[in-house]
Amino acid sequence: MPEVTIYTRKYCGFCGQAKALLLSKGVAFEEIAVDGAPDLELEMRQRSGGRKTAPQIFIDGTGIGGYDDLRALDRDGKLDPLLGLSDRREADESRGAEMIESVIILGSGSAGLTAAIYTARANLQPLVVEGRAAGGQLTMTTEVENFPGFPTGILGPELIGQMRAQAQRFGARFVTGDATAADLKTSPLSLTIDGETYRTRSLIVATGADARLLGLESERKLIGHGVSTCATCDGFFFKGKEILVVGGGDSAMEEAVFLTKFASKVSVIHRRDKLRASKIMQEKAFKNPKISFVWDSVIEEIWDPARGKVERAVLRNLKTGAISEVRCDGVFVAIGHVPNSRIFREQLEMDANGYLVTLGGTSTSVPGVFAAGDVADHVYRQAITAAGTGCMAALDAERFLERSAH
Ligand code: NAP
């Protein structure tokens, strides 16, 4: 095995993703945390030709760059040879043209990987399709403190890496690619993954949902450094701080109320002068003394990406055009989620927001197709509930396959 070294910083989403990718391949690495250690920071810069950003990854002493570079090598099939592993796409290549899978799992977050563990243990040899954002939302979080079984917490990417290793141990196979089309009217079901057709007798859709973002460059740079899309995940880090919450729906109200447990002050920034949230959620927010509202306003800019932390935000009043600045330590964006269900439009029943509708257990409107995790859940959206429905989908798929074999 080659020697792998990775320089990391605290609360660095891409560091977590890089570690998750390496862990998922069963590769051990030495982690060098550079926070508060100027000598190590200098060493990282010197070894990487002056790069200041983390992670910086080295394989047998050769710098390969950051997470994007690692991922690009993996996508091009060049990473496994560098790591001394046999070809990761083995599963893909060994498929005969006529091969029909028992179960394909779309998605490799906590729902997909739990479904993989269960179906693999049931000897169904599941094929897990990992999309571009392999590992799901947990790979974008830092410390996970509410997943049962980890009393001192666990890093999101590590949790995902462990789940993946567990699924592999029981024989789950993985392919990297994005599903771009599906035909669920045929039997077996048919999927197009990176231009190739896959056929399967059952399908578990665990493609998750992406938090909608404002689309600001500063927001992108500060995700994980004061900008967050999940109060349950990150609220704890804002004890005694001042926070902005963007949005006027149920999610924004729920997050604002939850955040008052930690923050000294929460200001809700909403683009209109009326909330979209349900009456009960509105009332909860209005009567909370720590919450105030800034109406008819949007965030134009978040400072300071150069300092790697949130210090203030620039607001614009949409009615008057007035620009103002507000001091804050964190920005929680709660303007909704977009379930990754696009390829199933017209084929699977979904609600007005695109969430898949499940009918008893995890069954969807097409026999043999099951849904798990956030793609079918806009209410709970937790790693543990996604894992729970992933388990349910696996059992439902197993029973479906048993029934259809007779
Ligand atoms: P939502 O209801 O779609 O609300 C999104 C909010 O964000 C709206 O107020 C919207 O403003 C605002 N917004 C959207 N895009 C924006 C942008 N680019 N810039 C600024 N503001 C923007 O989403 P949600 O709150 O996540 O709720 C989704 C679904 O889950 C809803 O059906 C909700 O009831 C449900 N939910 C339920 C619970 C619960 O029951 N406990 C909790 C959370 C969510 P406008 O109002 O101007 O459109």
Side-chain angles (χ1 to χ4, degrees):
M1 274 285 203
E3 209 167 88
V4 181
T5 309
I6 169 164
Y7 290 86
T8 60
R9 286 186 203 284
K10 218 172 171 185
Y11 308 136
C12 148
F14 290 119
C15 298
Q17 296 209 40
K19 289 194 287 178
L21 181 54
L22 292 169
L23 276 174
S24 72
K25 289 173 178 288
V27 172
F29 51 82
E30 183 196 4
E31 180 173 355
I32 302 178
V34 301
D35 300 276
D39 51 330
L40 296 176
E41 171 107 34
L42 183 66
E43 179 185 293
M44 175 179 87
R45 284 199 209 173
Q46 283 172 341
R47 287 188 71 187
S48 61
R51 288 189 187 202
K52 293 180 192 164
T53 53
Q56 290 300 325
I57 303 150
F58 294 82
I59 299 177
D60 271 343
T62 305
I64 61 142
Y67 173 67
D68 283 346
D69 305 296
L70 186 75
R71 192 89 182 111
L73 282 174
D74 193 34
R75 213 169 289 137
D76 297 343
K78 293 180 186 157
L79 183 59
D80 286 358
L82 276 179
L83 294 170
L85 302 171
S86 60
D87 190 358
R88 170 128 181 273
R89 290 172 191 256
E90 190 184 343
D92 193 21
E93 283 165 8
S94 63
R95 295 168 57 247
E98 288 309 307
M99 175 145 180
I100 298 171
E101 302 287 345
S102 294
V103 56
I104 286 185
I105 298 167
L106 280 187
S108 56
S110 89
L113 291 176
T114 305
I117 292 167
Y118 272 76
T119 47
R121 282 195 83 236
N123 216 13
L124 294 172
Q125 297 165 321
L127 183 69
V128 183
V129 181
E130 300 184 290
R132 223 172 282 131
Q137 293 178 58
L138 272 183
T139 58
M140 291 305 286
T141 60
T142 47
E143 192 86 23
V144 180
E145 293 182 330
N146 54 8
F147 201 93
F150 299 93
T152 54
I154 182 167
L155 290 175
E158 272 175 41
L159 180 58
I160 279 294
Q162 304 274 14
M163 287 185 188
R164 195 179 187 281
Q166 196 174 350
Q168 259 178 329
R169 181 183 148 210
F170 296 115
R173 296 160 303 139
F174 290 81
V175 284
T176 307
D178 282 320
T180 51
D183 185 352
L184 308 182
K185 289 180 199 79
T186 57
S187 179
L189 308 158
S190 168
L191 290 169
T192 308
I193 295 157
D194 279 356
E196 225 185 302
T197 303
Y198 287 69
R199 299 193 302 154
T200 183
R201 290 193 290 137
S202 70
L203 173 66
I204 295 175
V205 183
T207 43
D210 293 330
R212 204 177 274 145
L213 291 169
L214 301 170
L216 304 170
E217 183 64 12
S218 51
E219 169 193 51
R220 194 185 61 77
K221 288 189 175 151
L222 287 166
I223 278 271
H225 299 273
V227 173
S228 170
T229 54
C230 176
T232 329
C233 319
D234 300 329
F236 186 77
F237 302 112
F238 292 86
K239 273 189 181 158
K241 308 273 182 190
E242 295 184 17
I243 291 175
L244 306 186
V245 171
V246 191
D250 278 332
S251 293
M253 294 313 107
E254 198 171 65
E255 304 240 316
V257 170
F258 177 78
L259 286 166
T260 59
K261 289 185 187 181
F262 313 101
S264 57
K265 183 176 168 201
V266 175
S267 308
V268 174
I269 316 293
H270 183 37
R271 63 183 179 184
R272 293 187 297 137
D273 61 1
K274 271 195 193 63
L275 295 176
R276 174 180 297 276
S278 55
K279 273 274 166 299
I280 184 162
M281 296 298 289
Q282 295 197 20
E283 278 164 20
K284 268 191 190 167
F286 285 141
K287 74 173 189 212
N288 190 311
K290 281 191 183 174
I291 299 179
S292 60
F293 289 81
V294 182
W295 303 108
D296 301 311
S297 298
V298 290
I299 293 188
E300 290 265 286
E301 205 59 78
I302 306 168
W303 296 98
D304 185 356
R307 291 163 64 88
K309 59 178 182 167
V310 172
E311 295 178 338
R312 62 202 151 92
V314 179
L315 307 184
R316 183 163 56 91
N317 185 301
L318 293 174
K319 281 194 176 153
T320 64
I323 300 287
S324 59
E325 272 199 8
V326 55
R327 213 207 74 71
C328 55
D329 306 291
V331 176
F332 282 75
V333 181
I335 58 173
H337 282 75
V338 188
N340 297 314
S341 60
R342 198 173 41 84
I343 65 165
F344 299 110
R345 257 184 226 154
E346 319 274 302
Q347 302 202 64
L348 291 179
E349 198 182 321
M350 48 184 84
D351 70 13
N353 296 316
Y355 287 91
L356 298 185
V357 172
T358 50
L359 324 139
T362 62
S363 301
T364 66
S365 52
V366 171
V369 181
F370 306 91
D374 287 10
V375 73
D377 168 25
H378 60 73
V379 179
Y380 301 104
R381 297 199 294 243
Q382 300 300 300
I384 187 70
T385 50
T389 52
C391 159
M392 288 160 64
L395 298 176
D396 287 342
E398 193 185 340
R399 282 170 200 154
F400 169 81
L401 289 169
E402 257 168 38
R403 272 199 315 273
S404 51
H406 299 301

